[in-house]
Amino acid sequence: MAGSMTPWMLVATALSGVNVVLLASLTIIWARNYRTFGTEMTAGLAAFGVAMLVENVVAIYFFFSSGMLYVDAPEVQQAVVVLRAIQTAALAVLSYVTAK
């Protein structure tokens, strides 16, 4: 449960929350662009956004779940945080170039 969450898992959850916000914004933009331009590229970007959005929502669910596979492995928790941070940085760059 959230009360027993380690600091690493709290950081991972927060990063996933940021990712959800970024992905929701990007997906809305890409879906609008698809309706406007109808290109395969914009459809692919929108599909990518939906897939990544679902992945991050599921990750948040499992971070709050007591059945996490890595709940007792601090090194794995740290790796999860690093991966979430990399994803957040990549999404921030993607958000920046999409907004331009």
Side-chain angles (χ1 to χ4, degrees):
M1 299 311 232
S4 63
M5 221 184 238
T6 68
W8 287 112
M9 290 294 87
L10 287 173
V11 172
T13 303
L15 288 170
S16 287
V18 170
N19 292 346
V20 165
V21 170
L22 292 171
L23 284 161
S25 300
L26 285 168
T27 302
I28 289 167
I29 291 168
W30 293 331
R32 285 182 186 158
N33 286 347
Y34 177 70
R35 283 195 306 267
T36 301
F37 304 110
T39 65
E40 290 180 9
M41 179 67 159
T42 55
L45 288 169
F48 167 79
V50 169
M52 293 300 295
L53 188 57
V54 169
E55 187 273 334
N56 276 277
V57 169
V58 170
I60 291 170
Y61 169 79
F62 280 110
F63 291 155
F64 281 101
S65 164
S66 60
M68 291 185 300
L69 296 175
Y70 42 79
V71 72
D72 292 326
E75 59 280 350
V76 176
Q77 293 174 7
Q78 293 168 7
V80 169
V81 169
V82 169
L83 292 173
R84 292 288 161 194
I86 291 168
Q87 186 180 61
T88 303
L91 290 171
V93 170
L94 195 54
S95 296
Y96 174 76
V97 298
T98 298
K100 289 190 104 193

